[in-house]
Amino acid sequence: MIVALAGGVGGARLAVGLASVLPPQRLTFVVNTGDDFEHLGFAISPDLDTVMYTLAGVGNAVTGWGRAQETWNFMSALGQLGGETWFRLGDRDLAVHVLRTLALRRGISLSEITRVLATRFGIKHPVIPMTDSPLRTRVRTDCGELAFQDYFVRRGCRPRVQGFRFAGSRKARVPSVLQRIMHSGEVRAAVICPSNPYVSIAPILSVPEIRHWMKRRTFPVIAVSPIVGGAALKGPAAKMMRELGAEPTALGVVRHHGSSVDAWVIDQQDAKLQHAIEREGKLVIVTDTVMSDRGKSVQLAKRVVSFARALASER
Ligand code: GDP
Ligand code: CA
């Protein structure tokens, strides 16, 4: 069994590849919920939706969020009536938010409604939110402390970042379905997908049970660098690194994750960093990590899984 930690777009791209390489009983996705928020009365889980839509093949590959072949009648009617339109919710996308909101209101857990929705989308692999508890990423910036979506969408990531806080993390518990997997003794490796280190992976690791489980691990952790050629392929990861005084390179990401990762997959554009990363005490493979289509996701996933197998069998 491999447990893969994922945020949104980068996580979802690798998830597609991993899901085509490993059967459902040997691969579990644990997804960030730090971006979740309540908006217009709906419970919105952006990263869960991106992973789910991408695995189901109904995601918008251009934006990385929302559904393909979307229409926007609800948004335009809402705008005409003076409603808030800074966070875009497409007509098809809305169906998921409505069902999730209704379920949560009836006392059904986020992990359970996610399981139901994923099944209805035809997804066979477990997609599990890192927690059912409310855990919200807060961004400390030069404009004050902001809720994640206020920073990310409303303000377009323009404020300078000074740090992050994961409100509710201390009390957050992992869903029981994930607890069973974590303690089954069947996990042979964890994969950290190429997701934003600060706002996709750190919130997952801020859940105490996950952090302790990773710390006491007997299995290897393999991560794919989300920084390629000194830049993020999408999103503010590199900007955040610069603002926080970290080097916006694969080496900077390696240093950021430190001992929580044993082995790294970096892009061929960053081959010159291999030795420096090895000097940090990490095993490294260099390959094409830019998942511009499904075939490339599968190719990368195969490399990651065989790396994980090799490391696991050495232990
Ligand atoms: P978000 O929640 O949608 O913002 O997405 P993530 O945190 O999962 O992903 C953002 C990170 O994914 C950025 O640092 C991107 O550079 C990285 N990323 C996106 N696509 C790819 C890819 O094809 N390959 C690699 N290596 N990284 C990617
Ligand atoms: Ca996200």
Side-chain angles (χ1 to χ4, degrees):
M1 162 81 76
I2 286 183
V3 171
L5 311 185
V9 57
R13 284 179 179 167
L14 187 60
V16 166
L18 290 169
S20 87
V21 175
L22 294 168
Q25 63 279 12
R26 299 184 58 186
L27 173 64
T28 296
F29 297 109
V30 176
V31 179
N32 174 41
T33 60
D35 302 7
D36 291 17
F37 73 133
E38 292 71 39
H39 185 59
L40 302 172
F42 298 116
I44 314 233
S45 295
D47 287 355
L48 279 171
D49 290 347
T50 294
V51 169
M52 202 163 61
Y53 291 158
T54 308
L55 283 173
V58 302
N60 183 329
V62 180
T63 55
W65 55 269
R67 292 187 59 159
Q69 294 167 345
E70 188 57 284
T71 56
W72 300 94
N73 295 305
F74 167 69
M75 269 287 113
S76 62
L78 186 71
Q80 283 158 8
L81 292 170
E84 278 182 53
T85 56
W86 60 271
F87 193 89
R88 317 269 307 145
L89 296 172
D91 300 333
R92 287 184 168 78
D93 189 28
L94 206 50
V96 162
H97 307 312
V98 167
L99 291 177
R100 176 189 293 124
T101 304
L102 288 174
L104 294 176
R105 218 180 274 166
R106 285 191 207 112
I108 295 167
S109 65
L110 180 62
S111 52
E112 177 57 15
I113 183 60
T114 302
R115 188 190 65 75
V116 170
L117 289 167
T119 304
R120 290 181 186 163
F121 273 114
I123 297 167
K124 301 280 192 299
H125 294 77
V127 175
I128 308 177
M130 66 196 199
T131 183
D132 285 331
S133 320
L135 189 157
R136 301 289 176 262
T137 297
R138 310 272 309 170
V139 189
R140 285 195 278 114
T141 75
D142 55 0
C143 305
E145 189 181 283
L146 305 173
F148 180 77
Q149 299 298 348
D150 185 12
Y151 163 79
F152 197 79
V153 179
R154 200 192 322 226
R155 301 185 197 228
C157 306
R158 282 178 297 271
R160 263 186 89 84
V161 163
Q162 296 163 346
F164 302 91
R165 193 164 74 79
F166 306 114
S169 66
R170 253 182 309 167
K171 285 194 193 150
R173 301 295 313 271
V174 300
S176 50
V177 51
L178 177 55
Q179 215 159 33
R180 278 197 293 281
I181 291 168
M182 284 163 55
H183 301 297
S184 64
E186 281 170 14
V187 177
R188 293 287 173 270
V191 170
I192 297 185
C193 292
S195 289
N196 186 307
Y198 303 106
V199 294
S200 289
I201 301 304
I204 302 178
L205 301 179
S206 81
V207 177
E209 288 159 290
I210 298 181
R211 191 173 59 244
H212 297 146
W213 176 70
M214 294 279 280
K215 211 168 246 168
R216 289 194 301 261
R217 67 183 179 265
T218 54
F219 52 82
V221 178
I222 298 99
V224 179
S225 173
I227 299 290
V228 174
L233 296 174
K234 212 169 170 76
K239 177 178 183 282
M240 288 173 173
M241 293 182 83
R242 280 191 298 272
E243 290 169 356
L244 292 168
E247 189 187 305
T249 63
L251 179 60
V253 181
V254 170
R255 289 185 173 145
H256 169 79
H257 281 293
S259 61
S260 41
V261 175
D262 305 304
W264 281 91
V265 179
I266 63 168
D267 194 78
Q268 55 200 12
Q269 295 176 48
D270 299 314
K272 59 185 182 304
L273 296 173
Q274 177 172 4
H275 296 301
I277 296 171
E278 285 168 349
R279 281 196 294 275
E280 300 281 319
K282 308 298 173 191
L283 294 156
V284 182
I285 58 173
V286 180
T287 186
D288 182 359
T289 71
V290 180
M291 296 173 279
S292 43
D293 59 45
R294 191 190 158 80
K296 294 188 70 180
S297 296
V298 174
Q299 223 172 9
L300 177 58
K302 283 183 178 157
R303 291 298 305 271
V304 170
V305 169
S306 66
F307 196 21
R309 284 202 176 114
L311 295 171
S313 67
E314 278 170 17
R315 295 210 170 200

